[in-house]
Amino acid sequence: MPVEPTPRRRRLGAELRRVREALGWTQEEAAGHLGYQSLSTVSKIENGLQGLRIQQLPHFFEVFGITDPALREELRDLVRRAGEADWWQRYEGVVDDPLGDYLSQVENADALFVFNPLAVHGLLQTPEYARAVTEGSRVWKTPEDIDHFVALRLEHQRTTLERRSPLKIWTVLPEGLLRQEVGGRACMRAQIEHLIHLARTNPAVTIQVLPFSAGAHAGMDGPFMLMSFPTGRDLVCIESLRASLHLNEPETVDLYRTTSDLLKSDALSPKASIPLLTAIAKESPS
């Protein structure tokens, strides 16, 4: 039966596709091994357009040779919760498919590396900075839309930073970003002071500053996020105004992982970054 391709169904399909490809099977070959008459069934499952019942999973485990207990449990959880409403579904008109997928992925990730020369990542923003970025983006046109999106962003931040299994966040912030007076000097000073507080008090958050003196660096191609998961393939996310590109091919992920390692090397150490953050904050009067 056709179903709504929810983020969890899409992630389930992506994991099954990853396993199939690792076996070197085409969709037609997988369909034959699973006992389906048509490869379209496998295609629909992999694209989140056909659901699975929990009773079907042992057959998939056996045919695909899935023996890892952690991966088995993750797939079971994705099937159990496939149609479950997520907290962000309350924000109708604000969360589209790409954003819903991203929120679902962050919920399942255990580590996130962020490089964005344009804005502090949403999980690390103050409410005032979040509003200034949202207003400046011109994506949301009415005050109600802006209020709705800022509320979504802050709830996402709260649920992520307070979850039982902490998400490890590592970010490299270019010095120019920190000197951009988003929301005015007072707003930017408060944002930088918030970053300092997180760096000093939250062991799950690592912040490095990429100083002007670094010159050309590994992140010159633009912003990206590298997500790591307890099981399955890591993921690179590249966002724009109205689109979100998710890449999980091993060669591509390895390239971005190397880029993240180079950015960490180019930037000041986490300890050495705090004095520069403090100096920049002092330059912005409250």
Side-chain angles (χ1 to χ4, degrees):
M1 291 291 292
V3 296
E4 180 187 356
T6 63
R8 289 191 183 90
R9 287 195 180 103
R10 282 194 286 265
R11 178 156 177 79
L12 171 68
E15 286 302 316
L16 293 175
R17 182 188 304 113
R18 179 184 65 81
V19 176
R20 172 181 64 77
E21 291 174 346
L23 291 169
W25 294 350
T26 64
Q27 289 184 337
E28 186 173 14
E29 289 171 328
H33 289 300
L34 289 165
Y36 293 127
Q37 295 182 349
S38 170
L39 67 83
S40 66
T41 302
V42 173
S43 176
K44 289 175 183 177
I45 291 171
E46 290 185 354
N47 287 290
L49 296 171
Q50 179 163 320
L52 289 178
R53 297 188 305 275
I54 197 73
Q55 294 87 348
Q56 294 175 273
L57 281 181
H59 180 54
F60 275 77
F61 295 161
E62 181 181 357
V63 171
F64 282 6
I66 300 173
T67 58
D68 180 2
L71 178 55
R72 284 188 172 202
E73 185 53 36
E74 180 184 1
L75 296 177
R76 290 190 193 100
D77 185 64
L78 289 171
V79 169
R80 291 189 197 102
R81 303 178 62 198
E84 183 179 309
D86 293 297
W87 63 263
W88 54 83
Q89 289 180 275
R90 299 196 308 273
Y91 295 89
E92 184 179 358
V94 173
V95 181
D96 54 14
D97 281 349
L99 181 54
D101 283 343
Y102 164 74
L103 294 171
S104 178
Q105 286 156 356
V106 171
E107 182 182 83
N108 291 294
D110 61 1
L112 178 65
F113 175 85
V114 183
F115 176 73
N116 188 344
L118 305 175
V120 174
H121 190 268
L123 290 173
L124 308 177
Q125 293 177 358
T126 65
E128 295 76 18
Y129 184 93
R131 177 168 292 278
V133 169
T134 305
E135 290 175 345
S137 73
R138 299 296 188 270
V139 173
W140 310 107
K141 297 179 180 179
T142 69
E144 292 76 18
D145 286 342
I146 292 171
D147 289 344
H148 223 193
F149 185 75
V150 172
L152 164 70
R153 172 157 288 180
L154 296 178
E155 183 166 354
H156 172 50
Q157 182 185 111
R158 184 171 59 256
T159 58
T160 301
L161 296 181
E162 295 178 359
R163 75 185 196 183
R164 183 172 300 178
S165 177
L167 174 68
K168 296 177 182 177
I169 304 170
W170 194 312
T171 186
V172 172
L173 302 170
E175 183 176 347
L177 161 65
L178 298 167
R179 294 184 183 278
Q180 186 76 23
E181 295 177 1
V182 175
R185 291 188 175 186
C187 176
M188 199 64 214
R189 176 176 182 141
Q191 175 61 64
I192 296 172
E193 289 174 343
H194 178 62
L195 293 172
I196 295 169
H197 175 74
L198 287 173
R200 285 175 169 165
T201 64
N202 192 327
V205 176
T206 303
I207 296 172
Q208 291 183 263
V209 177
L210 184 68
F212 286 141
S213 59
H217 53 78
M220 300 295 285
D221 281 342
F224 68 94
M225 289 179 285
L226 177 61
M227 297 184 190
S228 299
F229 300 90
T231 62
R233 188 179 295 176
D234 291 351
L235 178 74
V236 173
C237 180
I238 300 173
E239 293 183 301
S240 62
L241 281 178
R242 284 295 191 182
S244 184
L245 181 62
H246 296 164
L247 309 169
N248 65 358
E249 297 80 5
E251 298 81 5
T252 301
V253 172
D254 285 344
L255 174 62
Y256 278 95
R257 186 177 291 110
T258 298
T259 301
S260 69
D261 289 340
L262 290 171
L263 281 166
K264 293 174 185 178
S265 298
D266 291 339
L268 298 174
S269 70
K271 183 177 180 180
S273 294
I274 291 180
L276 180 52
L277 285 166
T278 303
I280 296 173
K282 289 180 178 177
E283 293 171 9
S284 300
S286 56

